């Protein structure tokens, strides 16, 4: 999108950037699309256009076909490791460095591109694709430390040599709860912020989408960056039609918030 920006947007951004926790940023899969990581719901390229989410992103799906699901996540891990943060990730990280304590980054993404761009304090609502955890609670956890996941016997999926427990990816699957302390911190940020910047999410998944409603109800200015319509456009004061890697650096630079 070429400037001029919507009236007052730059003023509101500067005001938000002048307050501790004044700006909250909620990112979704579109944030990483220009790094080459597929989204979930884009019509031709999204994962869920080709695969059934209940088969690949639910505990029953994993229990039914553990090897198939493990292999799918292994491929996604390879894709993430090969990808690089894009100009949008870098602009957000530069802003966070320039204004410590101002932005709260909330992400639905399970890749590590915000972190590799330098923003290590993101609230990760949906977990971490590059981490493993045990499928069942480790029987040793009650008595002593749980078995280290790194000690699992190689396999697809790897399994515990002692009890056969399977490893699974450390992401939140459909039907599972978000980490409660992470969700609580995200809700707090949405309630308190002066401006919520929503980047690259369809707004189809709750409770993440509910953060946008909370911010709006709490009086924040809601700004969406997305090249396509989303389910939360009606919550936005401004919808900027364009991509994360092009609009984020331009917007933050226009407001004088990054160099
Ligand atoms: P979706 O795939 O539902 O939505 C991606 C959004 O990004 C769409 O609205 C696109 O229009 C937009 N988009 C595409 N390219 C973009 C770009 N270059 N710049 C900006 N926006 C772009 O992804 P999410 O909303 O993140 O759950 O999906 C939410 C959750 O559903 C995900 O976290 C995932 C999935 O099941 C888990 O992994 C647990």
């Amino acid at each position: 999108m070429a400037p001029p920006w919507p009236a007052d947007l730059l003023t509101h951004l500067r005001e938000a950037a002048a307050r501790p926790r004044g700006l909250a940023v909620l990112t979704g899969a579109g944030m990483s699309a220009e790094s080459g990581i597929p989204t979930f719901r884009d019509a031709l390229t999204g994962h869920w256009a080709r695969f059934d989410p209940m088969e690949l992103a639910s505990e029953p799906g994993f229990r039914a076909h553990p090897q198939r699901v493990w292999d799918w996540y292994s491929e996604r891990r390879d894709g993430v490791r090969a990808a690089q943060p894009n100009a949008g990730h870098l602009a957000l990280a530069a802003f966070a460095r320039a204004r410590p304590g101002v932005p709260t980054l909330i992400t639905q993404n399970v890749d590590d591109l915000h972190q590799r761009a330098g923003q290590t304090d993101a609230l990760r609502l949906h977990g971490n694709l590059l981490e493993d955890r045990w499928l069942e609670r480790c029987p040793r956890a009650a008595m002593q430390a749980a078995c280290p996941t790194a000690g699992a016997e190689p396999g697809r999926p790897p399994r515990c040599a002692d009890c056969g427990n399977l490893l699974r990816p450390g992401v939140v699957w459909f039907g599972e709860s978000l980490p409660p302390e992470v969700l609580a911190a995200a809700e707090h940020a949405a309630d308190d912020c002066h401006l919520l910047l929503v980047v690259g999410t369809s707004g189809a998944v709750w409770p993440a989408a509910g953060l946008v409603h909370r911010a709006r109800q709490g009086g924040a200015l809601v700004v969406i960056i997305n090249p396509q319509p989303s389910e939360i456009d009606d919550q936005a004061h401004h919808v900027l039609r364009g991509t994360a890697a092009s609009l984020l650096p331009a917007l933050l630079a226009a407001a004088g918030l990054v160099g």
Side-chain angles (χ1 to χ4, degrees), residues 27-35 37-42 45-48 53 57 73 76 86 107-110 125-127 171-174 178 198-206 208 225-231 240-246:
T27 64
M31 181 77 228
S32 299
E34 288 153 286
S35 295
I37 298 179
T39 65
F40 295 92
R41 294 177 183 79
D42 277 293
T45 54
H47 291 303
W48 302 154
Y73 282 93
R76 286 182 58 202
N86 64 50
T107 188
Q108 298 168 82
N109 295 348
V110 295
L125 294 174
H126 293 163
V171 300
V172 176
W173 279 332
F174 288 103
L178 276 57
V198 184
V199 187
T201 179
S202 61
V205 172
W206 288 65
I225 292 181
N226 195 320
Q228 302 292 333
S230 76
E231 296 189 17
L240 308 180
R241 286 277 172 248
T243 73
S246 63

Side-chain angles (χ1 to χ4, degrees), residues 122-218:
L123 298 171
R124 306 183 71 148
L125 294 174
H126 293 163
N128 183 344
L129 177 70
L130 300 175
E131 278 178 7
D132 293 322
R133 60 187 175 88
W134 295 116
L135 178 61
E136 316 290 351
R137 182 175 150 78
C138 174
R140 291 202 181 161
M143 300 171 285
Q144 41 184 295
C147 298
T149 53
E153 284 188 335
R156 297 161 48 206
R159 60 175 63 233
C160 177
D162 282 350
C163 70
N165 202 352
L166 297 181
L167 282 189
R168 55 159 284 182
V171 300
V172 176
W173 279 332
F174 288 103
E176 295 179 334
S177 300
L178 276 57
E181 65 294 343
V182 178
L183 179 60
E187 288 176 344
H188 190 52
D191 291 344
D192 279 3
C193 69
H194 184 68
L195 192 150
L196 175 69
L197 192 52
V198 184
V199 187
T201 179
S202 61
V205 172
W206 288 65
L211 297 170
V212 182
H213 295 253
R214 286 181 83 113
R216 170 104 197 193
Q217 279 158 18

Side-chain angles (χ1 to χ4, degrees), residues 63-135:
R63 287 184 187 279
H65 300 287
Q67 181 173 327
R68 176 171 179 237
V69 175
W70 182 264
D71 287 351
W72 187 68
Y73 282 93
S74 294
E75 265 179 44
R76 286 182 58 202
R77 286 175 172 181
D78 291 345
V80 164
R81 289 193 184 104
Q84 296 300 325
N86 64 50
H89 296 105
L90 296 172
L92 285 177
F95 172 64
R97 263 195 310 279
R99 308 279 171 127
V102 170
T104 305
L105 175 60
I106 307 162
T107 188
Q108 298 168 82
N109 295 348
V110 295
D111 64 49
D112 63 348
L113 296 184
H114 283 303
Q115 290 73 21
R116 277 198 269 143
Q119 225 168 341
T120 51
D121 58 355
L123 298 171
R124 306 183 71 148
L125 294 174
H126 293 163
N128 183 344
L129 177 70
L130 300 175
E131 278 178 7
D132 293 322
R133 60 187 175 88
W134 295 116
L135 178 61

